[in-house]
Amino acid sequence: MKREEILDWLKEESDEKLGALWSRADAVRAEQVGSEVHLRGLIEVSNHCVRRCAYCGINADNTRIQRYRMTEDEIMACVRKAVAFGYGTVILQAGEDYSISTAFVSRVIRRIKSETQLAVSLGLGERPAKELTAWRKAGADRYFLRFETSDPSLYERVHPSLPRRRSDRLATLRKLKELGYEAGSGVMLGIPGQTYASLADDLDLFKALDLDMVGVGPYIRHPDTPLGREEKSHKLLAGRNQVPNTELMTYKFVALARLLCPGVNIPTTSALASLNRETGYELGLSRGSNVIMPNLTPSQYRVLYEIYPAKAMASDSPEEFQARLSKRLKAMGRSIGKGPGGRKKC
Ligand code: 5AD
């Protein structure tokens, strides 16, 4: 698809015209990854973080949240739920927390791989190559790290450098591929200062990085973050080219990601579902997506993993969510994926 056409779709507002984009994305999804929806159980193991990402509620400077770190036993209790619900994958996610040590994560990965059939995905931030290597050896299958935006100046504005830890997520993503991980990345949509042209570049970068998974969601303002406090002035930066942080924008981007990276796994994220609690999952799944990541984090911790306010499903128990989700998928004529559901190698 030519860049002009991509930009036209990104800016398109007519429901009638967009109908054609949704059907194309849905057809490519069906042909490339089938009707199965893969469920990945999300475990938010720690909300400690050394980074100062300007948009994120758990950034190191936010003194208003209570911090937690799950124990190995607590994590394994969530893993057993994933097995009981028939999920094929668990995702261990956290802020960039070095008290979650190389050895601790390796031990948990080994336990999951020896006690279950689950695939293990990690989302633990920009960890050094040595750790990524150790975790891959321990059996981790996948790693997620969103690059958030391909616009270098916007990237730098929202990811301030730390003394010994410059932020370079692209370098980490390349390393992950080299180590044999299935690599996932993605962007936030509607970051103040983000332009449509940069979204077209984001899509190109997905292809250039040869990603296996692409996750996108709307930027949601968090009042206790630098960006959340400064939003008004930032809004002016991109003027008419400012990407809106809306539900519709997210569907358009998901559909385009499906057309441009046909074989990848694309989740409907909870940030999107939080903008439309009634039908967000259904709409995402019928406009290109094929994965959902139900949250298995115990409720006392889940409320503290507040990267943005009012996360979807913050109050549902895993059991309640699972029961409703099965019904909703059945009603859509989509089946629940069996097994790990890795990227189909084309
Ligand atoms: N709004 C939406 N998404 C956010 N994330 C972090 N903060 C926010 C926010 N305020 C997303 C980022 C990150 C992922 C784990 O959560 O894209 O990579």
Side-chain angles (χ1 to χ4, degrees), residues 26 29 35 37 285-286 289-290 329-330 332-336:
D26 199 41
R29 185 272 310 156
S35 70
V37 176
L285 289 171
S286 60
S289 126
N290 69 322
L329 294 180
K330 206 175 264 166
M332 289 180 77
R334 298 280 282 271
S335 54
I336 294 184

Side-chain angles (χ1 to χ4, degrees), residues 29-44:
R29 185 272 310 156
E31 179 201 294
Q32 295 281 328
V33 294
S35 70
E36 289 193 327
V37 176
H38 297 286
L39 306 182
R40 328 279 205 206
L42 178 66
I43 311 174
E44 294 158 330

Side-chain angles (χ1 to χ4, degrees), residues 55-57 93 146 148 169 188 218-220 222 271 307-308:
Y55 45 82
C56 182
Q93 181 165 295
R146 288 191 184 170
E148 318 292 359
R169 297 193 186 181
M188 277 187 303
Y219 160 70
I220 298 172
H222 191 308
I307 49 184
Y308 52 83

